[in-house]
């Protein structure tokens, strides 16, 4: 496929590869690595020498004919410069049903794509499912690190030394983020954590059952590490949270059968086809509905308008009716107060502005004389007391006294 755009002449190429077949077993962990080197040869080389491996490549995986992958299959790619990984644990329900996964590689530098199909043929196994299953929580690992064959092989080897089974398989691997875990802070090389489920054909060893002791259960409830004798066999490479270990004996698990209810009249059969209504439908007149929708609210609003208008305009008492119902003594009292208020307001308009207190002369209550407030420039007022005596009084002004008549 070749797409040409005017002016820019951008070319986007897409190449398709032959199908690749894989044969995983039901109940056993399936891991398929999408290697960047496998797709790198399909893209043009980098123009600079020595930088051909720096092309950012991402992958998109989906079930053929569907937008997403099957429920049991997961995909992870940490960065654009790392390989992608498909992993999961198929169940017996998928045995004999080829699962075609479309893998599309995107070159983020040239915007070219390469596509090929991965055909997953799930095989049945006689030992599926293994009766004894244990799930470990490893704190110092990310899921893509645990999916590496060397790391997973080392972990299964440590479990085998502790458990001593004849058959031991990795059943499933799940990131702690998929179990509700929090993304760790980017400090001290913290990891997300990963859950690893393994299955065996022999009962659990005494070391694995030590976590079920009352002493260790008490330590776990207090958020303390339990005392496990075989922890040193894992501690060199794997930090296991023994309080989160899960031991399941499927022989003792009571199966729960969920019956599907019978479909009602409004539910289509499971493999039925949708039968749309015929095109010859009768036209419907919505004029009456339109009138009802507008007429009823309009009528109610009009009635309310008349009621409120009559109450506010036609039911007013008026001033004359109010005065007739008011006692005479109350009207007289109100009228006198109103007249007095008007008189005071008219008098306040004609009064002169009073002089400030600072301009009034200082009064001597002993001699009855006052000192003028205005002093000459060379007069020192800082040492003058407020109430002056007759000896140091200067510039005195005598207040004329009124003589009584007769």
């Amino acid at each position: 496929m070749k797409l040409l755009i005017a002016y820019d002449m951008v070319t986007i190429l897409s190449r398709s590869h032959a199908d690749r077949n894989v044969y995983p077993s039901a109940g056993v962990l399936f891991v398929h690595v999408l290697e960047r080197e496998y797709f790198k040869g399909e893209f043009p080389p980098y123009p600079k020498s020595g930088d051909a491996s720096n092309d950012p490549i991402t992958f998109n995986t989906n079930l053929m004919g569907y937008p997403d992958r099957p429920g049991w299959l997961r995909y992870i790619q940490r960065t654009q410069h790392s390989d992608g990984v498909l992993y999961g644990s198929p169940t017996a329900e998928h045995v004999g049903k080829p699962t075609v996964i479309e893998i599309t590689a995107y070159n983020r530098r040239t915007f070219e794509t390469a596509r090929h199909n991965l055909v997953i043929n799930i095989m049945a196994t006689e030992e599926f499912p293994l009766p004894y299953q244990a799930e470990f929580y490893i704190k110092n690992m990310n899921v893509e690190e645990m999916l590496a064959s060397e790391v997973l092989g080392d972990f299964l080897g440590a479990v085998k030394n502790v458990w001593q089974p004849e058959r031991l398989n990795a059943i499933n691997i799940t990131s702690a983020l998929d179990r509700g875990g929090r993304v760790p802070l980017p400090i001290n090389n913290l990891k997300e954590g990963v859950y690893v489920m393994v299955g065996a054909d022999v009962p659990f060893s005494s070391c694995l059952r030590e976590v079920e002791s009352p002493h260790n259960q008490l330590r776990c409830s207090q958020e303390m590490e339990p005392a496990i004798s075989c922890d040193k066999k894992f501690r060199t490479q794997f930090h296991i949270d023994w309080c989160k270990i899960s031991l399941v004996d499927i022989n003792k698990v009571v199966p729960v059968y969920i019956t599907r209810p019978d479909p009602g009249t409004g539910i289509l059969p499971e493999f039925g086809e949708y039968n749309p209504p015929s095109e010859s439908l009768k036209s419907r007149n919505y004029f009456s509905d339109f009138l009802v929708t507008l007429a009823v609210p309009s009528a109610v609003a009009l009635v309310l308008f008349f009621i409120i208008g009559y109450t506010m305009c036609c039911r007013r008492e008026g001033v004359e009716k109010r005065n007739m119902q008011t006692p005479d003594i109350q009207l007289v009292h109100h009228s006198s107060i109103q007249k007095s208020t008007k008189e005071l307001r008219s008098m306040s308009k004609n009064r002169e502005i009073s002089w400030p207190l600072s301009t009034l002369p200082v009064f001597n209550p002993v001699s009855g004389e006052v000192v003028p407030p205005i002093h000459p420039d060379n007069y020192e007022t800082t040492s003058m007391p407020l109430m002056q005596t007759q000896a140091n009084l200067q510039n005195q002004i005598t207040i004329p006294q009124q003589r009584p008549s007769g």
Side-chain angles (χ1 to χ4, degrees):
M1 178 183 65
K2 184 176 295 184
L3 177 61
L4 299 179
I5 302 179
Y7 302 108
D8 293 336
M9 296 297 293
V10 178
T11 304
I12 301 177
L13 301 178
S14 177
R15 297 179 176 86
S16 180
H17 298 263
D19 296 348
R20 176 183 293 186
N21 289 268
V22 292
Y23 300 90
S25 300
V28 181
L29 178 65
F30 165 71
V31 179
H32 181 75
V33 180
L34 305 180
E35 299 179 355
R36 297 174 67 252
E37 297 292 337
Y38 179 79
F39 295 91
K40 196 181 302 181
E42 302 299 329
F43 303 130
Y46 202 70
K48 297 182 181 180
S49 60
D51 295 334
S53 60
N54 292 334
D55 284 356
I57 299 176
T58 58
F59 301 94
N60 182 35
T61 59
N62 63 280
L63 183 64
M64 179 175 287
Y66 295 89
D68 203 354
R69 297 174 299 275
W72 62 270
L73 189 62
R74 298 173 181 173
Y75 167 75
I76 185 172
Q77 184 183 13
R78 185 65 61 176
T79 63
Q80 296 180 354
H81 298 278
S82 60
D83 296 336
V85 181
L86 286 170
Y87 67 100
S89 180
T91 61
E93 299 177 357
H94 305 91
V95 173
K97 300 178 182 178
T99 303
V100 182
I101 304 297
E102 294 181 344
I103 302 175
T104 306
Y106 295 91
N107 189 322
R108 296 300 179 179
R109 180 181 62 86
T110 62
F111 299 100
E112 294 183 344
T113 62
R115 181 183 295 110
H116 78 83
N117 297 332
L118 178 67
V119 182
I120 303 176
N121 303 282
I122 302 173
M123 309 298 294
T125 56
E126 297 179 358
E127 63 270 12
F128 175 80
L130 294 173
Y132 302 96
Q133 299 178 0
E135 187 177 54
F136 300 86
Y137 175 60
I138 304 174
K139 299 183 291 184
N140 64 329
M141 287 286 176
N142 289 333
V143 62
E144 70 274 8
E145 299 173 349
M146 198 66 198
L147 290 172
S149 57
E150 299 83 3
V151 179
L152 185 58
D154 294 342
F155 178 75
L156 293 179
V159 174
K160 190 172 184 179
N161 293 334
V162 174
W163 202 338
Q164 298 295 330
E166 295 183 2
R167 294 195 305 269
L168 180 68
N169 291 329
I171 298 178
N172 199 4
I173 292 180
T174 308
S175 174
L177 301 182
D178 297 335
R179 297 285 188 90
R182 301 180 62 180
V183 178
L185 296 175
I187 56 176
N188 299 331
N189 197 22
L190 297 178
K191 304 293 184 178
E192 299 173 355
V194 61
Y195 289 89
V196 181
M197 178 178 288
V198 298
D201 57 345
V202 297
F204 304 108
S205 63
S206 58
C207 173
L208 297 179
R209 289 194 175 276
E210 289 179 3
V211 72
E212 298 178 348
S213 63
H215 175 69
N216 287 331
Q217 290 295 324
L218 178 61
R219 293 179 64 89
C220 289
S221 62
Q222 297 175 352
E223 297 184 357
M224 300 174 60
E225 293 186 2
I228 306 298
S229 60
C230 57
D231 181 58
K232 59 184 179 181
K233 297 183 179 179
F234 297 91
R235 182 64 61 176
T236 57
Q237 189 177 0
F238 307 100
H239 296 172
I240 298 178
D241 189 349
W242 293 98
C243 292
K244 294 185 179 180
I245 189 174
S246 176
L247 305 177
V248 179
D249 184 359
I250 63 176
N251 294 325
K252 298 180 181 180
V253 176
V254 179
V256 178
Y257 298 98
I258 301 177
T259 59
R260 297 180 60 182
D262 296 334
T265 56
I267 301 177
L268 296 176
E270 184 175 359
F271 299 99
E273 295 182 357
Y274 174 69
N275 186 15
S278 60
E279 298 180 357
S280 59
L281 294 177
K282 296 181 179 180
S283 60
R284 181 179 175 182
N285 188 6
Y286 292 94
F287 183 74
S288 58
D289 299 339
F290 175 76
L291 291 180
V292 171
T293 304
L294 293 182
V296 174
S298 301
V300 173
L302 188 62
V303 171
L304 293 177
F305 174 77
F306 281 112
I307 293 176
I308 296 175
Y310 174 76
T311 304
M312 296 182 64
C313 300
C314 302
R315 299 290 297 175
R316 298 185 62 180
E317 297 179 352
V319 179
E320 297 180 357
K321 186 176 182 180
R322 182 196 64 185
N323 294 340
M324 293 177 60
Q325 296 179 355
T326 304
D328 295 339
I329 186 63
Q330 186 175 356
L331 293 176
V332 172
H333 185 227
H334 176 73
S335 177
S336 62
I337 293 175
Q338 189 175 9
K339 290 180 179 180
S340 300
T341 303
K342 291 181 179 179
E343 184 178 0
L344 289 175
R345 289 180 178 178
S346 61
M347 293 174 62
S348 64
K349 294 179 180 179
N350 300 328
R351 66 182 179 181
E352 297 181 355
I353 302 175
S354 61
W355 293 94
L357 295 179
S358 60
T359 61
L360 296 179
V362 179
F363 176 72
N364 191 342
V366 177
S367 60
E369 298 176 348
V370 296
V371 177
I374 303 177
H375 306 286
D377 297 338
N378 57 354
Y379 186 78
E380 185 180 359
T381 59
T382 56
S383 61
M384 183 183 68
L386 183 62
M387 296 298 179
Q388 299 181 0
T389 61
Q390 188 175 5
N392 57 5
L393 186 63
Q394 299 179 4
N395 301 325
Q396 299 178 354
I397 299 177
T398 303
I399 301 177
Q401 299 181 0
Q402 185 179 3
R403 295 180 181 183
S405 61

